[in-house]
């Protein structure tokens, strides 16, 4: 019965892959052997056997050559690799197929794939190993198109791909993300009866997962007679990349029940998925599970744990993880820097950035983008300008994201004209994101003139984006220009643009409760509204005054104040106050930017009710405590 179903599955697959995969031939890159000084410099390579071979103190046997080639591959010593290649090419073993294949593998490990291709092209009699090593080299060096381009040539040469060859082809297909290519590779694996091999099967489901075809990935996983840690990790990583934290966690637990131990790859995927949904309690549970299992806190896993805590609203835990990492890499430093930026902790971010520089770590684009974002969120214009100029000192070329962040820095500070001049002087054509940053700043500072100008550019460059029309409407509405606001509203209606409905959610005892404005669907809605009325009364006595400027409707003042009181984040806060124990930190997630009135109300709630409240919106985190916010009201 199982076999019958499987034949149907594969028949369906073949129908979906009727066209063969074709690719143009690839030219080998120019190659020249090192001579003289290049060979003599091998003493600095640290390969003692190569030095002895070059001086004639060691006989050039296949075993010696293979030993040196293996050492070069492991150390990724390209200079040594080229020296041994030069020596081998002049020896009596120059045509040895085994050693030539080893050279291909060595060059690929050293990242010199063009050198590997030169060796491959010069082999008089290739075998499957020759093809597999070169294909794997292309796949592992981020050259998936070149890897797949070898498939037609290999088949024309009448070589049957092995399981190892297929895993590399599937890795390349997953990197390309092409739906058709992957299905054709699957059909070919079925043709060669390799689809039941656990390693090929794991590569198949990983390929489908990377191509966002999780339905096919699950079907492949279910058909595997024998599963291993690789297949489980591929499935879990697929759901994590999709952002499906709930399923990722469920599959993680299922993996444990089936007797497979989690690896650092497993934990990294789970933490990444939980970070995207801000599931702090589940993240803590998985972290505790990892500690109990005896997993070492490597930088690779620590970076994802750090990111999970930071994105779930716990900077205290994020800092603890950072402090406990023995061998921090640049990703570790950048992740912590990004966390400071997201929390609006500009001064802490600047101090952290200077610490990175003090340690002599080579900075990259992400480092500068994070510190620029931190300066933007913290109002540190002087420092932001300094760091933007500093990029050239580190040979880091500004990318479009850096220009977006710099426009945001100037715009948030109210320097709208300076920001506009900066956009005009950019060495590249401004994108919709650049104009969008300027438009967002105009919304903050209620500048309709520059806002309309920026919006026109965004409409032209990215007409599908629904955010800019909403921002422009908000600018006109907030400044009382109701005729212009109506014009924009009419345009939105004509083009089918709809404002994204605001929603907020809060996690309590591993359950997520979601709310929208004026929500009456929750079973405890009456109790929630009574709680907010009590909260509203108490914070008004403490000095809270509703800011009706944030009601962007042309209605009476009394109606405006009523509209303010039932925003989704306020309903979520009232629910949390009812259901969480006294003193517990409340963490609320929101799908759009928190409104200014809610921000003011939350500051008073944190003081009156003696609560710490963390709100994560689309832009950043706001940590309310004792009547103040971590952003310093600069947002």
């Amino acid at each position: 019965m199982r076999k019958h179903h499987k034949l149907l599955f594969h028949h369906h697959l073949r129908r979906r892959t009727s066209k063969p995969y074709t690719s143009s031939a690839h030219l080998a890159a120019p190659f020249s052997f090192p001579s003289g000084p290049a060979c003599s410099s091998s003493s600095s390579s640290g390969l003692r056997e190569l030095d002895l071979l070059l001086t004639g103190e060691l006989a050039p046997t296949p075993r010696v050559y293979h030993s040196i080639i293996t050492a070069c591959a492991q150390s990724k010593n390209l200079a040594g690799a080229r020296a041994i290649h030069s020596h081998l090419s002049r020896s009596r073993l120059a045509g040895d197929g085994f050693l030539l294949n080893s050279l291909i593998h060595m060059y690929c490990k050293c990242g010199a794939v063009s050198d590997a291709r030169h060796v491959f092209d010069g082999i008089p009699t290739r075998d499957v190993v020759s093809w597999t090593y070169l294909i794997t080299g292309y796949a592992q060096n981020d050259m998936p198109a070149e890897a797949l381009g070898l498939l037609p040539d290999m088949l024309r040469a009448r070589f049957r791909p092995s399981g190892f060859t297929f895993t590399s082809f599937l890795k390349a297909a997953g990197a390309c993300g092409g739906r058709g290519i992957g299905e054709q590779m699957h059909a070919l694996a079925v043709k060669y009866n390799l689809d039941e091999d656990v390693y090929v099967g794991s590569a198949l489901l990983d390929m489908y997962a990377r191509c966002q075809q999780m339905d096919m990935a699950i079907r492949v996983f279910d058909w595997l007679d024998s599963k291993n840690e690789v297949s489980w990790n591929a499935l879990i990583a697929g759901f994590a990349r999709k952002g499906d934290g709930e399923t990722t966690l469920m599959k993680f637990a299922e993996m444990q029940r089936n007797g497979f131990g989690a690896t650092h790859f497993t934990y990294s995927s789970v933490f990444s998925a939980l970070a995207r949904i801000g599931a702090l309690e589940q993240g803590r549970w998985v972290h505790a599970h990892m500690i109990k299992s005896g997993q070492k806190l490597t930088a690779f896993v620590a970076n994802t744990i750090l990111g999970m805590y930071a994105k779930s609203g716990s900077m205290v835990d994020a800092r603890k993880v950072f402090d406990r990492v023995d061998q921090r890499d640049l990703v570790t430093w950048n992740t912590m820097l990004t966390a400071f930026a997201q929390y609006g902790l500009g001064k802490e971010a600047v101090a952290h950035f200077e610490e990175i520089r003090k340690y002599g770590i080579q900075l990259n684009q992400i480092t500068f983008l994070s510190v620029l974002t931190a300066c933007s969120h913290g109002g540190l214009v002087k420092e932001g300008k300094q760091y933007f100029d500093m990029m050239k000192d580190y040979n880091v070329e500004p990318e479009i994201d850096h220009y977006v962040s710099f426009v945001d820095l100037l715009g948030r500070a109210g320097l709208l004209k300076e920001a506009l001049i900066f956009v005009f002087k950019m060495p590249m054509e401004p994108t919709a994101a650049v104009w969008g940053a300027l438009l967002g700043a105009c919304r903050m500072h209620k500048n309709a003139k520059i806002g309309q100008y920026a919006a026109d550019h965004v409409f032209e460059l990215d007409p599908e984006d629904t955010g800019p029309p909403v921002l422009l409407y908000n600018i006109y509405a907030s400044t009382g220009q109701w005729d212009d606001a109506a014009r924009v509203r009419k345009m939105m209606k004509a083009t089918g643009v709809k404002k994204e409905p605001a929603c907020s959610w809060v996690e309590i005892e591993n359950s997520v409760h979601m709310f929208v404005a004026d929500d009456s669907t929750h079973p405890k809605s009456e109790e929630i509204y009574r709680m907010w009325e009590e909260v509203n009364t108490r914070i008004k006595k403490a000095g809270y005054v509703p800011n009706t400027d944030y009601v962007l409707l042309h209605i009476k003042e009394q109606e405006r104040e009523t509209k303010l009181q039932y925003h989704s984040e306020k309903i979520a806060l009232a629910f949390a106050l009812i259901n969480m124990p006294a003193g517990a930190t409340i963490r609320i997630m929101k799908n759009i930017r928190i409104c200014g009135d809610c921000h003011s109300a939350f500051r008073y709630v944190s003081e009156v009710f003696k609560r710490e409240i963390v709100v994560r919106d689309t832009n950043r985190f706001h940590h309310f405590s004792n009547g103040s916010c971590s952003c310093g009201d600069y947002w």
Side-chain angles (χ1 to χ4, degrees):
M1 181 63 71
R2 177 181 172 86
K3 190 72 175 178
H4 173 70
H5 285 305
K6 187 171 183 182
L7 288 171
L8 288 176
F9 173 47
H10 291 155
H11 174 68
H12 169 69
L13 180 68
R14 287 191 181 98
R15 288 182 64 189
R16 296 171 67 178
T17 55
S18 56
K19 294 181 180 179
Y21 177 76
T22 57
S23 173
S24 59
H26 296 274
L27 298 175
F31 181 89
S32 60
F33 292 126
S35 59
C39 290
S40 64
S41 67
S42 65
S43 59
S44 63
S45 69
L47 299 175
R48 178 64 180 158
E49 287 179 320
L50 177 58
D51 296 334
L52 295 174
L53 192 63
L54 291 172
T55 58
E57 297 176 57
L58 192 64
T61 65
R63 183 176 179 179
V64 169
Y65 275 124
H66 183 254
S67 174
I68 301 172
I69 290 170
T70 301
C72 283
Q74 289 176 345
S75 63
K76 300 181 180 180
N77 185 340
L78 183 57
R82 285 175 171 158
I84 187 60
H85 185 185
S86 176
H87 194 280
L88 176 63
S89 67
R90 296 193 300 271
S91 76
R92 60 183 177 81
L93 297 171
D96 187 288
F98 173 74
L99 293 178
L100 290 173
N101 285 343
S102 298
L103 284 178
I104 296 172
H105 175 68
M106 172 189 68
Y107 275 130
C108 289
K109 285 292 184 182
C110 294
V113 190
S114 59
D115 291 357
R117 182 62 190 254
H118 179 85
V119 176
F120 176 84
D121 290 339
I123 296 178
T125 307
R126 301 175 190 137
D127 56 19
V128 174
V129 177
S130 314
W131 289 93
T132 301
Y133 274 157
L134 185 60
I135 291 162
T136 302
Y138 277 131
Q140 291 179 343
N141 284 277
D142 298 324
M143 302 172 74
E146 288 80 355
L148 293 169
L150 289 172
L151 176 58
D153 297 337
M154 185 178 187
L155 296 178
R156 277 195 293 269
R158 301 192 179 281
F159 283 100
R160 177 186 173 126
S162 67
F164 293 109
T165 321
F166 260 107
T167 56
S168 293
F169 274 137
L170 291 167
K171 177 181 172 68
C176 284
R179 190 183 186 98
I181 295 173
E183 290 177 346
Q184 290 175 51
M185 292 303 307
H186 189 173
L188 198 61
V190 172
K191 177 181 177 180
Y192 289 117
N193 294 316
L194 288 168
D195 57 306
E196 289 189 359
D197 179 277
V198 66
Y199 295 103
V200 174
S202 298
L204 266 172
L205 77 91
D206 182 63
M207 179 271 296
Y208 278 124
R210 290 181 183 277
C211 294
Q212 297 294 304
Q213 292 179 259
M214 288 308 299
D215 56 337
M216 289 294 289
I218 293 168
R219 291 174 75 176
V220 171
F221 181 81
D222 290 341
W223 279 114
L224 286 175
D225 288 327
S226 60
K227 300 173 177 65
N228 61 8
E229 290 178 354
V230 176
S231 49
W232 276 103
N233 281 335
L235 186 66
I236 289 169
F239 283 112
R241 278 192 296 271
K242 191 180 177 184
D244 189 344
E246 185 177 348
T247 307
T248 302
L249 198 59
M250 183 179 70
K251 291 299 178 184
F252 172 75
E254 192 178 330
M255 179 184 183
Q256 309 299 307
R257 288 195 299 272
N258 280 272
F260 292 95
T263 67
H264 60 290
F265 290 110
T266 321
Y267 287 114
S268 180
S269 295
V270 175
F271 287 128
S272 297
L274 295 176
R276 292 183 68 172
I277 61 173
L280 180 62
E281 294 309 315
Q282 287 93 332
R284 282 175 171 159
W285 176 82
V286 176
H287 189 185
H289 185 282
M290 190 192 83
I291 293 170
K292 289 179 181 177
S293 68
Q295 281 278 337
K296 187 179 179 182
L297 189 67
T298 62
F300 175 74
V301 181
N303 295 339
T304 55
I305 299 175
L306 198 164
M308 181 274 296
Y309 280 128
K311 291 178 181 178
S312 300
S314 182
M315 276 293 288
V316 173
D317 288 321
R319 185 76 214 197
K320 284 179 182 177
V321 173
F322 178 82
D323 291 338
R324 288 173 185 170
V325 180
D326 292 329
Q327 296 182 331
R328 299 168 188 151
D329 57 16
L330 180 58
V331 177
T332 315
W333 287 95
N334 282 349
T335 304
M336 195 68 214
L337 182 60
T338 302
F340 284 129
Q342 288 175 327
Y343 276 79
L345 303 173
K347 293 180 180 179
E348 291 85 345
V350 166
H352 186 81
F353 180 82
E354 293 300 333
E355 194 175 358
I356 301 175
R357 294 181 64 204
K358 184 180 72 176
Y359 275 91
I361 298 170
Q362 181 60 43
L363 312 184
N364 64 6
Q365 278 90 352
I366 295 174
T367 319
F368 280 102
L369 181 61
S370 295
V371 76
L372 286 172
T373 302
C375 290
S376 175
H377 286 176
L380 306 176
V381 178
K382 179 182 176 182
E383 292 84 348
K385 289 180 176 180
Q386 175 190 341
Y387 292 139
F388 188 84
D389 293 337
M390 188 186 290
M391 292 179 71
K392 60 177 176 288
D393 298 336
Y394 285 87
N395 296 318
V396 177
E397 191 68 28
E399 297 177 346
I400 196 66
D401 286 342
H402 298 95
Y403 288 102
V404 171
S405 188
F406 195 77
V407 170
D408 189 56
L409 169 79
L410 298 175
R412 283 178 185 271
L415 304 172
L416 297 175
K417 290 183 179 179
E418 186 176 341
L420 185 60
I421 294 170
F422 177 81
V423 173
F424 286 143
K425 291 183 177 180
M426 280 175 55
M428 61 185 76
E429 198 67 30
T431 63
V434 173
W435 289 110
L438 183 59
L439 176 60
C442 291
R443 164 69 181 96
M444 294 175 199
H445 297 285
K446 301 180 181 180
N447 189 313
K449 185 176 180 181
I450 297 179
Q452 179 69 66
Y453 184 76
D456 289 340
H457 283 83
V458 180
F459 297 158
E460 182 182 348
L461 294 168
D462 190 4
E464 300 299 320
D465 190 353
T466 60
V470 175
L471 280 174
L472 184 59
Y473 169 83
N474 290 347
I475 294 173
Y476 285 128
S478 64
T479 54
Q481 301 179 60
W482 295 110
D483 290 341
D484 289 313
R487 173 177 55 81
V488 176
R489 176 73 78 178
K490 185 177 180 181
M491 179 197 74
M492 291 167 61
K493 188 175 182 179
T495 55
V497 174
K498 292 183 179 179
K499 183 178 179 181
E500 182 182 7
C503 66
S504 301
W505 59 98
V506 60
E507 179 188 356
I508 296 176
E509 295 181 351
N510 294 327
S511 295
V512 176
H513 300 262
M514 184 172 288
F515 304 92
V516 296
D518 300 314
D519 201 337
S520 59
T521 60
H522 198 279
K524 294 185 178 181
S525 58
E526 290 184 11
E527 187 180 355
I528 294 169
Y529 282 116
R530 281 198 302 270
M531 170 56 79
W532 180 252
E533 287 171 8
E534 180 189 337
V535 171
N536 194 34
T537 300
R538 290 178 61 178
I539 63 176
K540 278 185 175 179
K541 288 180 180 178
Y544 161 67
V545 178
N547 188 343
T548 57
D549 287 346
Y550 289 95
V551 179
L552 303 176
L553 297 171
H554 197 20
I555 56 178
K556 295 179 180 179
E557 187 68 19
Q558 187 175 354
E559 292 178 85
R560 285 170 170 269
E561 185 171 337
T562 303
K563 280 284 184 183
L564 277 178
Q565 297 313 309
Y566 303 111
H567 283 188
S568 62
E569 56 265 55
K570 289 176 179 172
I571 299 174
L573 176 58
F575 178 77
L577 288 169
I578 294 169
N579 292 279
M580 295 184 71
T585 300
I586 297 172
R587 291 181 170 84
I588 297 171
M589 309 294 167
K590 186 171 170 65
N591 68 328
I592 62 174
R593 187 171 179 263
I594 185 174
C595 107
D597 179 72
C598 290
H599 190 276
S600 175
F602 278 32
R603 281 197 295 105
Y604 281 99
V605 173
S606 70
E607 182 177 21
V608 172
F609 287 80
K610 307 301 179 187
R611 290 280 194 148
E612 289 195 7
I613 307 166
V614 179
V615 178
R616 169 185 166 182
D617 67 10
T618 51
N619 288 355
R620 64 198 296 179
F621 282 90
H622 297 270
H623 190 163
F624 302 92
S625 179
N626 297 319
S628 62
C629 179
S630 57
C631 73
D633 294 339
Y634 184 88
W635 58 285

